[in-house]
Amino acid sequence: MEPISTAGGAEEEHHGNYSPNPSAEAPPGKHAVSEALEEVQEELIEHQPLEQEDLNFEKWKPKPKPKRTLHEKAGDVKTYLWNAETREFMGRTGHSWFLIILFYTALYAFLAAMFGACMWCLMLSISPYHPTHNDRVMPPGMTMSPQLDGHYEIAFNASDRKSWKKYAKLMEEQLRPYNDAVQEQRNIQCPQDAYFMQDEQGESAERKACQFKRSWLGECSGLQDPHFGFSQGKPCILLRMNRILGYLPGHGTPVNVTCGVKKGVPESLGELQFFPKSIFNLMYYPYYGKLRHVNYTAPVVAVRFNGLQYDTHIVVKCKLNGKGIINDSPTDRFLGSVSFSFDVGA
């Protein structure tokens, strides 16, 4: 590179990166200093105290909307229901309504089909003739009749026909299916004191039922005394053991029934008679359910109270006794026993 002589005689060398613009060679920190000054100014502006106008919060409150007349509101409702300009019904066009109705129809149709498929699969997995899972069979309960509206209280005067007629009518209705002619027509005679097992038949095959004739109940059958002893102050009651599917009560020994005074003087109960016996015979078990045991007639034990003390409130408890029977449950008063009361007048 050749030297260039200036007016003063000095020589300068021209380099390739020489720029005649003096601003191009400004110090590199000058731009950063200017940015820092701008940030400080902005912070000072933010921390300046608010003007009096800014402290006037009233101007920030929303202005109250003008009250609309009833006619204007009715007009808005009318426009919402049908907008003639946009041809919208309740804010939607006909095409929009068609799409939303189509969507929800398809959605609920799918949900209904899915629910139906789940129920169909569930029904395929269970049998209508016996429980799918029967891990624990509770001991049977016990009920009595006659009872009015679920009340286990028998109160009447032997000389007042109206006071005991309702009880005699209920007894007649309860024993009608036990009529001898009906039993001979529908059911068969079975060997006593043995379970009547019919498991070898098909699952859906109808099971035969053993006869239980009304005449076996003797003085409590209503055939000899249509008043069931109420007119004499010697009422009869019927005791039943609850039916449990496939249950074999007593483990081979018949379950028997006993009755006694629960509250009151023991002598106030008097003599008791049981018909046909004080047991539930084994030939009526097991029970195969309504679908298979169509003509099944549950056995009953009739109890006649021959010596009830008049004008005395007597609470009686009858209970089942046998293997596997629970009759003293503190939480379930019908488990293996039943309690009821007598108030008999002359």
Side-chain angles (χ1 to χ4, degrees):
M1 181 178 297
E2 297 180 356
I4 300 175
S5 59
T6 61
E11 295 180 353
E12 293 181 355
E13 292 184 356
H14 290 273
H15 299 280
N17 56 352
Y18 173 77
S19 176
N21 187 4
S23 62
E25 296 183 358
K30 184 177 181 180
H31 181 68
V33 171
S34 62
E35 289 182 352
L37 289 174
E38 291 178 358
E39 292 179 358
V40 171
Q41 290 177 358
E42 291 177 357
E43 292 180 359
L44 291 174
I45 293 173
E46 291 179 356
H47 291 82
Q48 285 180 358
L50 296 175
E51 299 292 339
Q52 188 65 27
E53 295 182 357
D54 297 332
L55 296 176
N56 185 13
F57 297 104
E58 295 295 332
K59 72 175 186 178
W60 301 107
K61 292 184 179 179
K63 297 181 180 180
K65 295 181 180 180
K67 294 184 178 180
R68 300 172 60 83
T69 63
L70 181 61
H71 180 71
E72 291 176 339
K73 293 180 181 179
D76 292 343
V77 174
K78 183 178 179 182
T79 304
Y80 170 73
L81 293 176
W82 174 247
N83 193 331
E85 296 180 359
T86 59
R87 302 186 64 81
E88 292 181 350
F89 173 70
M90 297 182 68
R92 292 182 180 272
T93 62
H95 181 69
S96 177
W97 276 113
F98 171 76
L99 291 179
I100 195 171
I101 291 175
L102 179 63
F103 169 77
Y104 281 107
T105 301
L107 174 64
Y108 287 114
F110 170 75
L111 293 177
M114 184 175 64
F115 176 76
C118 292
M119 292 299 298
W120 180 71
C121 294
L122 176 64
M123 296 304 295
L124 288 179
S125 64
I126 61 177
S127 172
Y129 303 106
H130 59 82
T132 304
H133 300 286
N134 196 13
D135 300 332
R136 181 184 180 190
V137 178
M138 289 294 295
M142 194 178 188
T143 60
M144 61 83 62
S145 59
Q147 51 176 296
L148 297 175
D149 301 326
H151 298 290
Y152 290 81
E153 300 174 356
I154 300 177
F156 66 95
N157 292 325
S159 59
D160 185 3
R161 179 183 176 86
K162 292 183 179 180
S163 65
W164 52 258
K165 184 179 180 181
K166 51 191 175 184
Y167 299 114
K169 183 179 179 180
L170 286 175
M171 291 285 288
E172 178 64 30
E173 293 176 356
Q174 292 283 335
L175 292 176
R176 195 168 294 147
Y178 295 86
N179 288 337
D180 291 9
V182 176
Q183 290 294 312
E184 291 174 358
Q185 180 182 1
R186 296 180 178 178
N187 300 334
I188 63 172
Q189 294 183 357
C190 302
Q192 297 188 9
D193 302 326
Y195 295 125
F196 187 23
M197 306 298 297
Q198 304 178 68
D199 295 336
E200 68 280 356
Q201 302 185 28
E203 183 183 39
S204 60
E206 181 178 338
R207 269 53 172 179
K208 297 179 180 179
C210 298
Q211 294 180 1
F212 192 100
K213 296 183 178 181
R214 181 174 178 174
S215 58
W216 297 350
L217 298 179
E219 297 180 16
C220 290
S221 64
L223 301 177
Q224 304 171 9
D225 178 12
H227 302 154
F228 298 94
F230 285 92
S231 61
Q232 307 171 27
K234 302 177 181 180
C236 290
I237 65 166
L238 301 177
L239 299 176
R240 286 187 178 86
M241 185 165 56
N242 291 350
R243 294 178 288 186
I244 301 177
L245 197 67
Y247 182 64
L248 301 175
H251 301 288
T253 304
V255 175
N256 72 305
V257 179
T258 57
C259 296
V261 176
K262 184 178 181 180
K263 292 181 181 180
V265 182
E267 292 76 14
S268 61
L269 193 60
E271 179 190 1
L272 304 182
Q273 285 183 283
F274 294 89
F275 301 97
K277 295 180 180 180
S278 61
I279 64 171
F280 290 95
N281 203 289
L282 299 180
M283 64 180 177
Y284 299 103
Y285 306 97
Y287 172 61
Y288 289 95
K290 293 182 179 180
L291 294 180
R292 294 183 292 182
H293 238 153
V294 180
N295 296 322
Y296 180 81
T297 306
V300 299
V301 172
V303 186
R304 182 181 175 94
F305 297 85
N306 290 319
L308 288 176
Q309 186 174 344
Y310 287 174
D311 301 324
T312 305
H313 181 74
I314 308 172
V315 179
V316 182
K317 181 178 182 179
C318 295
K319 58 183 180 179
L320 302 172
N321 303 281
K323 296 180 180 180
I325 298 296
I326 299 176
N327 54 25
D328 55 354
S329 173
T331 57
D332 189 352
R333 64 190 184 98
F334 294 105
L335 184 60
S337 64
V338 63
S339 298
F340 51 94
S341 65
F342 282 113
D343 283 290
V344 181

